[in-house]
Amino acid sequence: MNILFVADPLEEFKPYKDTTFSMMREAQRRGHRIAACEPRHISWRSGDKVRSHVREITLTGTLDDWFMQSHESVRALLEFDAVIMRKDPPFDSEYFYATHLLEQAEREGARVFNKPACLRDHPEKLAIMEFAQFVSPTLVTRDAQEVTRFHAQHQEIILKPLDGMGGMGIFRVGADGLNLGSIIETLNHHGATTIMVQRFVPEIAQGDKRVLVIGGKPVPFSLARIPQGSEIRGNLAAGGKGVAQALSARDLEIANALGPVLAGRGLLLVGLDVIGDYLTEINVTSPTCFQEITQQTGFDVPAMFLDALEAAL
């Protein structure tokens, strides 16, 4: 196969932990050809196809100078057997526009994973609303008074922006309500911005579990991202420690309920975030943790992904 990865600049990859790198490495091991581009390189002109400036690369097998570029060209996306959208968040206006360009490429015959329309339809925090039976008490609102009432009911809460990533902008407020008003103003910009509020789940001390679902089926191990020190955030980007562990019965229940539904919509790879027994996010843009799980358990997550990709084509 000839596979195009739409991603961040190759020079910014951290190959010792990067999930997209692990996908590329497994693809090359199987004899597939690899190319890469950034969303900013994709364009469309009336009367023509969606095209991109692409870099055809070969992995060197080392972590330093990890790729060699063999060729650069402008190519139609439909010329590739698969286009893998792996641009990291934030899901901003440019990401949104990129999904429309990729969807036009689909209409022309390209095969894009995850499906661009599904990337738009499943915002990573709000997507949990569809599966409320697995979610802890949650409020989505702009209204400061609603947040105050929610706090009065649940006493200990988490507040977060809908467009945050890597644990950015997450606040915990205890029963005393200290600084609640100021935090609400900071996050909702005096009622201009919608935020999410959730009852605090104390099991965060055991980790914010990333449960990967590939082709509708769960990877048998999660990566529990455990907060360190006085932090409440387990995100690896916020200093959390990643510990791989077998899925619990509840993890499996959630993954088996959501996996076939999301896969049927065109989401080949999904990352479910689970704290204790509760689903907190559904990550669809560029789920990570392949390398950490593989290194700690021996289960080959990139191979499972390539198996699912090949089966989908």
Side-chain angles (χ1 to χ4, degrees), residues 213-224:
V213 181
I214 299 175
K217 299 177 181 179
V219 172
F221 299 92
S222 70
L223 190 75

Side-chain angles (χ1 to χ4, degrees), residues 103-155:
E103 192 170 22
Q104 174 60 24
E106 281 187 320
R107 287 190 284 268
E108 297 165 0
R111 299 294 304 276
V112 184
F113 305 90
N114 283 327
K115 194 172 179 64
C118 288
L119 293 175
R120 294 197 303 272
D121 290 346
H122 294 79
E124 301 192 330
K125 291 182 174 62
L126 293 178
I128 65 173
M129 294 190 296
E130 182 180 357
F131 306 100
Q133 69 270 32
F134 299 117
V135 176
S136 67
T138 298
L139 170 68
V140 179
T141 186
R142 294 188 190 186
D143 190 327
Q145 291 184 346
E146 279 199 81
V147 177
T148 301
R149 288 192 290 268
F150 187 89
H151 172 261
Q153 179 182 1
H154 296 290
Q155 296 295 297

Side-chain angles (χ1 to χ4, degrees), residues 123-302:
E124 301 192 330
K125 291 182 174 62
L126 293 178
I128 65 173
M129 294 190 296
E130 182 180 357
F131 306 100
Q133 69 270 32
F134 299 117
V135 176
S136 67
T138 298
L139 170 68
V140 179
T141 186
R142 294 188 190 186
D143 190 327
Q145 291 184 346
E146 279 199 81
V147 177
T148 301
R149 288 192 290 268
F150 187 89
H151 172 261
Q153 179 182 1
H154 296 290
Q155 296 295 297
E156 197 163 7
I157 62 173
I158 294 290
L159 303 92
K160 52 189 174 182
L162 295 179
D163 60 354
M165 55 175 285
M168 180 182 65
I170 294 178
F171 292 87
R172 175 184 175 182
V173 175
D176 59 7
L178 187 65
N179 284 332
L180 178 59
S182 178
I183 291 169
I184 295 171
E185 291 171 6
T186 298
L187 291 178
N188 86 341
H189 302 99
H190 299 278
T193 303
T194 303
I195 63 174
M196 176 173 282
V197 191
Q198 295 178 306
R199 185 180 69 189
F200 176 71
V201 180
E203 287 84 356
I204 183 62
Q206 284 77 55
D208 179 355
K209 295 175 285 186
R210 168 58 54 83
V211 178
L212 294 168
V213 181
I214 299 175
K217 299 177 181 179
V219 172
F221 299 92
S222 70
L223 190 75
R225 290 137 331 149
I226 301 172
Q228 300 297 293
S230 61
E231 263 291 353
I232 61 164
R233 301 171 298 173
N235 310 74
L236 299 183
K241 178 182 179 182
V243 178
Q245 56 189 36
L247 297 189
S248 69
R250 179 62 167 178
D251 297 337
L252 281 168
E253 179 186 3
I254 295 171
N256 286 331
L258 273 63
V261 174
L262 298 175
R265 296 173 182 172
L267 292 168
L268 184 70
L269 171 61
V270 174
L272 307 176
D273 286 351
V274 179
I275 300 176
D277 288 337
Y278 298 106
L279 175 70
T280 61
E281 289 189 22
I282 300 174
N283 296 273
V284 299
T285 50
S286 60
T288 60
C289 301
F290 277 32
Q291 293 210 58
E292 293 88 346
I293 292 173
T294 299
Q295 290 163 4
Q296 293 184 37
T297 70
F299 182 86
D300 197 333
V301 185

Side-chain angles (χ1 to χ4, degrees), residues 87-101:
K87 174 70 178 70
D88 283 343
F91 195 110
D92 55 14
S93 295
E94 287 304 321
Y95 195 111
F96 178 80
Y97 304 146
T99 67
H100 281 286
L101 286 166

Side-chain angles (χ1 to χ4, degrees), residues 74-96:
V74 176
R75 298 178 61 181
L77 269 60
L78 62 83
E79 295 178 22
F80 293 90
D81 298 294
V83 178
I84 313 297
M85 178 52 160
R86 288 290 303 173
K87 174 70 178 70
D88 283 343
F91 195 110
D92 55 14
S93 295
E94 287 304 321
Y95 195 111
F96 178 80

